[in-house]
Amino acid sequence: MSGGRPREACGVVAVSGHPEAPQLVAEGLVALQHRGQESAGVAYRARGGPIRLERGMGLVLEVFPGLVVPGEGSFAVGHVRYSTAGTSDLANAQPLLARTHLGPVALAHNGNLVESAPVAAAPPGPDASDTALVLAAVAESRAPSLEKALESVLAQARGGFAMAALGPDRLWAVRDPRGIRPLVLGRLEGGWALASETCALDAMGARTIREIDPGEFMTIEDGAAPRSRRLFPREAAAPCIFEAVYFARPDSLVAGSTVHALRRRMGGELAAEHPVDADVVLAVPDSSVSAAEGYAAALNLPLEQGLIRNRYLGRAFLEPDPLRRDARVRRKLAVIPSAVAGRRVVLVDDSIVRGTTARHLIGRMWEAGAREVHLRIAAPPYRHPCHYGVDTSRAQRLFAGERPDPSALARELLATSLGYLSLEGLVRAMGGGSHCTACFSGQYPVPVGVMAGATLA
Ligand code: 5GP
Ligand code: SF4
Ligand code: MG
């Protein structure tokens, strides 16, 4: 891991039983581009035919110009990656393909395996991702079929993971026992689709059916109804709450509500907890726009566009050097001075990770002539590293992790005031339920010991 910012979780898409499966998967991947911009790939096959794999570094449209996937097939899996385990190069771009004695299999994975995950007797190299470790274990399995091999390997896996695998005439899908990483099932005309978020199902023209259950192992043969079994004993579900806070697209459904609606509620809760008398509310685009709307509406304050995001910068490169990080934020976000000058401003963001964005923007607000700058964060302080597929560095590099006292944080950021949403407020905005909140609460739903991926640091 490098830097201190959590990287976007990866995105997974799969289709079974549709004549344009590879093409549909590419459509789904573009809709999930926000989840990873480092590499993209599609593996596909006709029933019983060889697996073809097209993948490369970069955005989906760079890897598949014109969004054309050359070749045909009725089964496909695809992936957009932001590396969380294993080094960042083409060899680790997914899907990964393995030729086993049971036949070829392609695997797309979002998440991280933690201790007690299967490690093959002959690991595929020190830089291997945990996805490669799973495939190596499948290749060594004595099980009579690929399906049985995958099942027995994955039944030993722990952590946060959502995977889709492509076999000779079927797809497999699995979600970790606590349902930390997301995966949803959709219906296509004649076939089925899987994706990390419902926005990808919508983009493929699939109707959202349901979430894959925590611990569910699903087999989808062509267009036939999926068959499921439970790989793990039932445990309390712990879906990642940061999906709703930051990762997911506002039009995606999480627990039956749009992410937009959930974020508006987070903004409303934030307003109830940390109201302020101000002239204008500004969102830090794009991820906090819905929360800022909720905040402004609850306090009856005007919401204005005061920050412009440059949409043409492409990938959010990780930048370990703080000076270059600052330059990146300057490039990414510009202030509209007339929205700020002479006003008491509330700036709403969804999270503070390393503090770069907040520190920079507050400075720009003062430069533009703001009278007061109140920072409101629509989530609790991000204090603890994520071990379930979101790349955060060691806790001490996290801004709030180093500084437990919010008033000291406000002083350091030169903000007039600072207010974070409480964990209780966040959970209320989600409509209750159980979640993984480890990056905020430090309570890890799956014990974290030695990580399976040898390169995790
Ligand atoms: P900071 O500048 O404090 O390091 O990061 C906070 C900003 O990054 C917020 O505007 C938030 O929306 C965004 N952010 C939060 N998590 C992630 C992430 O995983 N990846 C990226 N690229 N941005 C993130
Ligand atoms: Fe999500 Fe945070 Fe849990 Fe990681 S630690 S899975 S980011 S809620
Ligand atoms: Mg942001």
Side-chain angles (χ1 to χ4, degrees):
M1 280 186 257
S2 51
R5 182 199 289 270
R7 303 188 209 181
E8 282 87 336
C10 300
V12 170
V13 180
V15 163
S16 173
H18 193 285
E20 290 171 27
Q23 208 53 55
L24 282 175
V25 164
E27 295 288 349
L29 290 180
V30 174
L32 294 184
Q33 188 78 79
H34 59 285
R35 300 181 69 87
Q37 300 96 39
E38 183 178 284
S39 67
V42 179
Y44 56 96
R45 71 196 313 175
R47 191 183 174 87
I51 294 185
R52 293 189 56 187
L53 174 62
E54 308 282 345
R55 56 182 187 159
M57 303 305 289
L59 302 173
V60 179
L61 272 162
E62 291 170 332
V63 178
F64 301 101
L67 208 61
V68 174
V69 183
E72 289 178 0
S74 52
F75 301 91
V77 297
H79 192 265
V80 285
R81 179 169 202 254
Y82 218 139
S83 63
T84 54
T87 51
S88 153
D89 60 24
L90 186 56
N92 278 322
Q94 295 192 34
L96 291 186
L97 177 60
R99 298 181 200 286
T100 75
H101 64 290
L102 299 165
V105 58
L107 184 66
H109 170 210
N110 165 209
N112 263 359
L113 306 181
V114 299
E115 187 181 26
S116 81
V119 176
D127 283 348
S129 63
D130 46 2
T131 318
L133 293 174
V134 168
L135 284 179
V138 168
E140 283 178 8
S141 163
R142 302 235 171 103
S145 68
L146 264 177
E147 185 159 318
K148 290 268 177 272
L150 259 178
E151 234 183 83
S152 70
V153 167
L154 291 173
Q156 300 166 57
R158 295 293 177 272
F161 51 91
M163 300 183 192
L166 176 63
D169 57 358
R170 62 194 67 185
L171 280 183
W172 297 290
V174 68
R175 198 167 171 211
D176 66 78
R178 311 295 298 264
I180 295 174
R181 298 264 62 92
L183 196 59
V184 287
L185 174 72
R187 186 79 168 116
L188 285 161
E189 205 169 322
W192 298 89
L194 295 158
S196 301
E197 288 181 41
T198 62
C199 69
L201 297 180
D202 295 340
M204 292 188 277
R207 182 164 50 87
T208 297
I209 301 291
R210 66 172 174 90
E211 289 186 20
I212 305 300
D213 282 334
E216 181 172 3
F217 181 90
M218 179 180 275
T219 304
I220 314 180
E221 288 180 67
D222 276 320
R227 287 185 282 116
S228 283
R229 77 218 75 154
R230 168 165 283 286
L231 277 194
F232 309 93
R234 196 173 282 280
E235 292 182 70
C240 168
I241 207 162
F242 207 59
E243 287 282 340
V245 169
Y246 171 79
F247 293 130
R249 231 169 68 164
D251 55 325
S252 284
L253 293 170
V254 166
S257 299
T258 63
V259 168
H260 166 71
L262 294 173
R263 288 182 188 161
R264 273 194 73 111
R265 293 217 289 267
M266 290 170 205
E269 294 285 345
L270 180 61
E273 292 181 6
H274 299 285
V276 63
D277 192 14
D279 301 312
V280 68
V281 177
L282 306 182
V284 180
D286 294 324
S287 48
S288 69
V289 172
S290 307
E293 281 176 22
Y295 188 91
L299 296 176
N300 209 10
L301 294 174
L303 175 75
E304 258 184 54
Q305 176 165 262
L307 289 164
I308 299 296
R309 180 181 179 143
N310 187 327
R311 286 163 204 279
Y312 306 99
L313 293 175
R315 282 145 279 187
F317 282 115
L318 258 104
E319 184 48 74
D321 173 353
L323 283 176
R324 300 237 295 271
R325 247 183 354 235
D326 203 57
R328 234 187 52 116
V329 179
R330 181 176 291 273
R331 218 175 285 144
K332 182 165 127 185
L333 291 166
V335 175
I336 302 177
S338 61
V340 172
R343 291 170 128 179
R344 296 169 300 165
V345 174
V346 185
L347 196 59
V348 178
D349 204 352
D350 51 86
S351 49
I352 297 179
V353 181
R354 285 180 306 204
T356 315
T357 308
R359 190 178 286 117
H360 177 82
L361 288 179
I362 290 167
R364 303 294 304 280
M365 297 286 128
W366 292 123
E367 277 167 34
R371 275 207 290 139
E372 293 173 5
V373 184
H374 302 274
L375 183 62
R376 293 293 178 269
I377 304 297
Y382 198 113
R383 291 191 205 277
H384 308 276
C386 174
H387 297 294
Y388 311 128
V390 177
D391 182 16
T392 25
S393 167
R394 289 180 296 273
Q396 59 267 31
R397 290 211 210 130
L398 299 169
F399 185 75
E402 293 164 16
R403 302 161 180 83
D405 170 16
S407 58
L409 287 182
R411 276 198 302 280
E412 186 170 336
L413 292 171
L414 302 178
T416 312
S417 73
L418 168 63
Y420 280 101
L421 179 59
S422 67
L423 187 57
E424 299 70 40
L426 174 57
V427 171
R428 238 189 335 269
M430 297 295 296
S434 64
H435 305 272
C436 175
T437 59
C439 47
F440 302 127
S441 64
Q443 290 177 353
Y444 291 89
V446 181
V448 176
V450 181
M451 308 293 281
T455 56
L456 286 174

